Amino acid sequence: MPSKKHHERTRAQESSNAIERMYITMRHLFNRGFYKPMGISGETLRNTLLLLRPEIYGSVGDEKAELEGLIYVIDRLPKGIEACTFINLTSDEGYATSHFKAIIPKKRRRNCYRIDNEQMNIEITRGRSEIYDILTHLTFLFIESHKIGKRVLIDEEGTTTRDWIKLEKAVLSKKKLSQEEREVAITHTANILGRTFNELTTIYSAFAIPSQPERLLHIVYWLGKLAIEELINNNKRTVTFSPVLRERIGHHIHGEIWADAIKEALYKNGLLDRPLHIISANMHSVMNVLYAPNALKPNTQKNDIFDIYQSLSKKENERLRNKVSKEALQKGMIYIKDQSGANIDVQIFDTNTFDVSKMDIKLSETRLEQNKPVILVMDYAFGEQAYETIDELLKPYKQKGKPYHLNVASISIMGKAGILEGDKGDIMIPTAHVFEGTADNYPFKNELKKEDFEGHGISICTGSMITVLGTSLQNKDILKFFNNSTWQIIGLEMEGAHYQKAIQAAAKVRGSIKPDVKVRYAYYASDNPLKTGATLASGGLGNTGVKPTYVITRTILEQIFN
């Protein structure tokens, strides 16, 4: 008889199980309506995050504080959240018309409102993925906060270390710190965080904002102060979900309002019957490719077009960007500023208004004349929101009780993704999307091919991609498994499977659009989570992302026009 194989769980299997448990726990806590992150109700979330130890959160499982992960999280949460005991996740419940001033995080488009000294409200209008994103970041933040609390407490009466007393004095002092006082405060903070003076001075300016140059000191102080309150007085921080949010989530409320506004604009402008090409991309690349050559004529005659794109993406060149958008609005672009809460703006380009001779991309004039395509560019969706928006957009438009089917010719999705076999700035062409935590897979015929992108000096890889539940729920073990197993995953992103699920349903099941609709997917690498120092927490792409963005945009437009 063959001996039984002794099976030990691999780290990748443990990680996969941890992600599944986090996902289920977050849904359970949401349905329950509230939880205390550092109490018994938040224990499963904390334990699974520490078991998973995501790459993006670095040393979250160690005794020392994690600095790069802290920047990543702070950039995605509202300013001042570290000082709030009550965090309330709400739907769009009318705060925009109140006296409360919206706080928008640096790296996430969401409206947040500081209600009083203790409470922060965060508006959720982009579906469940947004809730998972916030809860994961808050779990990391509170774990870090308790590390600080435990390091500075000497006894159960609440006596604290000298370092803490000095930090408190620096933070509560109303006057501006001199260089000398700042360095003294950094010395004490480094001790509290278990980091070196050098590590803190290197990263200090990354936390600073114009209104708060000493922001790192304030973040550390408030995280520690609230942790001490919890440890000594059992005064636990609480996360609540408003009844309206719990009632609305999953019902496509924002997606439906968003899609109706777009279809109404198409109808009013007489564009509803024309071939429609939908592109999910940022709000600048398509507009710049179509209008920059003419709007910036003197520059484009002297410089390579990719240098023009590079200068348009620089923060300081607002004047150039305004010139291009002015030209676009005068010559055929319709801009729909989002009013639905979906946080997705839209541009519609009527190719009937284009002067073909002024374009610098290859296109067939006769083909353009025959087809007269309309291009609809929608800003990036977030996770599960991709299903909600495309699902609603592809439904027929009802006018006076009569349904109008959109004449959708193609749907193109471009965006950023993590790469598993390459570097920042490389291009990935997927052949299928696999949904993480399940064996659900969505193969498709991608109109974009590897050879379409050759000759630009950019590395290109093709294969399956995985749609993950959140950017922060990955570690090296699980990513190596995706890459090395027979799935042969080349990269990870958050929307692909959701887009394809909606497209397939509309084309093959509901019959809302033609079954032979063309699809295009292309991503450029924002990070390589398998490489130390190349994760998202190590900072943005900078100028590295400009060339691949425009190479993809131009290729998509050439295919549409030809």
Side-chain angles (χ1 to χ4, degrees):
M1 286 283 289
S3 61
K4 265 190 182 175
K5 187 180 174 188
H6 178 63
H7 184 75
E8 276 186 18
R9 288 208 310 170
T10 64
R11 176 96 174 91
Q13 285 168 326
E14 280 177 358
S15 304
S16 182
N17 185 251
I19 292 170
E20 200 177 339
R21 287 217 315 277
M22 281 195 86
Y23 189 49
I24 293 164
T25 304
M26 289 193 273
R27 287 192 84 137
H28 161 70
L29 295 172
F30 173 70
N31 291 332
R32 182 183 178 214
F34 76 97
Y35 80 105
K36 297 189 173 180
M38 297 314 287
I40 291 165
S41 50
E43 195 173 4
T44 310
L45 270 189
R46 298 195 308 272
N47 291 346
T48 43
L49 190 77
L50 289 168
L51 175 68
L52 184 64
R53 291 198 301 280
E55 225 47 52
I56 219 156
Y57 293 154
S59 57
V60 67
D62 301 348
E63 220 179 286
K64 64 178 181 181
E66 167 55 32
L67 295 173
E68 281 187 343
L70 187 60
I71 284 188
Y72 180 82
V73 165
I74 285 294
D75 280 352
R76 284 154 182 80
L77 291 174
K79 177 183 177 286
I81 197 164
E82 67 280 355
C84 294
T85 318
F86 298 96
I87 294 159
N88 188 18
L89 272 57
T90 72
S91 181
D92 178 359
E93 297 175 22
Y95 291 104
T97 57
S98 68
H99 77 280
F100 297 114
K101 194 174 181 305
I103 306 167
I104 298 163
K106 188 176 166 186
K107 296 279 178 75
R108 283 279 185 266
R109 283 171 302 191
R110 53 173 73 114
N111 292 331
C112 311
Y113 302 93
R114 184 77 179 261
I115 305 302
D116 54 34
N117 286 344
E118 296 175 310
Q119 184 178 333
M120 180 73 76
N121 279 16
I122 303 176
E123 240 174 48
I124 305 290
T125 56
R126 308 183 78 178
R128 285 197 183 93
S129 297
E130 197 167 16
I131 296 172
Y132 305 145
D133 189 58
I134 290 166
L135 295 192
T136 315
H137 292 337
L138 288 176
T139 307
F140 164 81
L141 204 61
F142 295 153
I143 289 171
E144 289 296 309
S145 141
H146 267 235
K147 282 189 204 172
I148 297 166
K150 283 171 184 163
R151 282 184 80 99
V152 300
L153 275 176
I154 296 170
D155 57 35
E156 287 171 16
E157 274 69 62
T159 316
T160 54
T161 61
R162 179 172 173 273
D163 287 317
W164 181 255
I165 295 160
K166 295 288 184 186
L167 171 64
E168 186 167 49
K169 192 180 168 199
V171 168
L172 299 180
S173 139
K174 297 280 181 225
K175 63 185 183 67
K176 194 173 172 234
L177 296 185
S178 66
Q179 180 64 15
E180 192 180 319
E181 288 166 328
R182 183 179 298 116
E183 288 185 357
V184 169
I186 289 173
T187 304
H188 294 300
T189 310
N191 263 349
I192 291 166
L193 299 179
R195 291 287 194 163
T196 66
F197 175 79
N198 190 38
E199 282 172 320
L200 247 66
T201 43
T202 308
I203 210 160
Y204 198 80
S205 61
F207 283 92
I209 51 173
S211 62
Q212 211 177 25
E214 322 298 342
R215 192 172 176 214
L216 176 58
L217 302 182
H218 286 259
I219 290 167
V220 172
Y221 171 70
W222 283 105
L223 286 178
K225 185 174 168 59
L226 296 190
I228 293 167
E229 288 278 311
E230 290 188 335
L231 293 162
I232 300 299
N233 306 321
N234 207 23
N235 184 12
K236 297 257 188 285
R237 283 167 280 197
T238 308
V239 175
T240 52
F241 307 92
S242 82
V244 179
L245 175 67
R246 287 156 67 205
E247 190 184 295
R248 284 180 178 177
I249 205 86
H251 292 297
H252 292 199
I253 286 166
H254 301 287
E256 191 178 349
I257 300 166
W258 174 84
D260 284 349
I262 294 165
K263 287 180 255 196
E264 199 173 312
L266 290 168
Y267 178 77
K268 279 182 180 167
N269 288 281
L271 306 172
L272 212 52
D273 299 323
R274 302 251 301 274
L276 183 68
H277 297 267
I278 298 166
I279 305 176
S280 168
N282 52 56
M283 284 283 98
H284 53 78
S285 58
V286 173
M287 179 177 72
N288 288 346
V289 169
L290 297 175
Y291 295 99
N294 197 45
L296 310 173
K297 210 181 242 160
N299 309 46
T300 47
Q301 284 166 346
K302 285 183 286 196
N303 300 312
D304 175 64
I305 193 68
F306 285 98
D307 293 337
I308 302 292
Y309 300 147
Q310 194 83 261
S311 54
L312 279 166
S313 69
K314 286 180 182 159
K315 216 175 182 177
E316 63 269 21
N317 288 339
E318 199 173 342
R319 192 180 56 81
L320 289 182
R321 286 192 291 279
N322 290 344
K323 265 181 128 172
V324 178
S325 49
K326 189 180 171 193
E327 170 94 359
L329 288 163
Q330 284 171 351
K331 297 188 178 166
M333 180 178 90
I334 300 159
Y335 178 62
I336 305 173
K337 177 89 182 130
D338 179 60
Q339 304 292 330
S340 70
N343 267 319
I344 298 176
D345 296 334
V346 168
Q347 297 162 330
I348 299 169
F349 300 95
D350 178 2
T351 58
N352 246 358
T353 61
F354 287 2
D355 183 347
V356 175
S357 63
K358 288 174 179 165
M359 288 193 171
D360 78 319
I361 53 175
K362 290 177 231 147
L363 55 89
S364 154
E365 210 167 324
T366 48
R367 196 69 193 258
L368 204 58
E369 272 303 302
Q370 289 162 0
N371 291 339
K372 296 184 176 159
V374 173
I375 297 167
L376 188 154
V377 179
M378 58 179 276
D379 210 340
Y380 299 123
F382 186 73
E384 282 185 26
Q385 190 194 27
Y387 176 77
E388 176 177 335
T389 46
I390 291 288
D391 184 56
E392 291 297 332
L393 184 58
L394 299 182
K395 284 179 184 174
Y397 175 58
K398 285 195 173 72
Q399 185 67 16
K400 295 173 187 159
K402 184 186 165 197
Y404 288 85
H405 288 264
L406 299 182
N407 182 10
V408 180
S410 78
I411 301 169
S412 306
I413 313 292
M414 62 171 280
K416 290 187 288 196
I419 197 166
L420 298 180
E421 43 183 64
D423 279 305
K424 284 188 180 190
D426 290 356
I427 289 176
M428 289 161 276
I429 310 294
T431 51
H433 287 293
V434 182
F435 192 39
E436 182 184 36
T438 69
D440 296 358
N441 54 84
Y442 301 89
F444 49 84
K445 180 181 181 285
N446 196 341
E447 294 296 316
L448 298 171
K449 301 280 177 282
K450 190 174 181 174
E451 46 273 25
D452 297 332
F453 298 94
E454 281 164 353
H456 292 284
I458 298 172
S459 297
I460 301 127
C461 55
T462 61
S464 302
M465 289 185 73
I466 197 145
T467 300
V468 296
L469 298 167
T471 47
S472 38
L473 294 179
Q474 316 304 320
N475 65 25
K476 277 186 180 161
D477 302 283
I478 203 160
L479 295 176
K480 278 176 186 161
F481 166 74
F482 289 150
N483 193 219
N484 301 332
S485 70
T486 50
W487 288 110
Q488 293 175 335
I489 301 292
I490 57 164
L492 57 146
E493 47 75 58
M494 277 183 69
E495 291 80 28
H498 302 298
Y499 277 127
Q500 192 56 27
K501 183 165 59 167
I503 294 165
Q504 276 179 211
K508 306 273 196 311
V509 183
R510 287 178 160 162
S512 308
I513 58 172
K514 289 181 290 197
D516 60 348
V517 63
K518 288 179 160 57
V519 292
R520 302 180 188 89
Y521 288 89
Y523 300 90
Y524 60 93
S526 57
D527 64 307
N528 184 333
L530 286 178
K531 289 188 176 178
T532 306
T535 69
L536 278 174
S538 66
L541 264 169
N543 288 335
T544 322
V546 175
K547 190 165 186 185
T549 301
Y550 283 95
V551 166
I552 295 170
T553 308
R554 290 169 69 93
T555 308
I556 289 171
L557 289 173
E558 279 172 10
Q559 286 199 1
I560 289 170
F561 291 146
N562 295 302

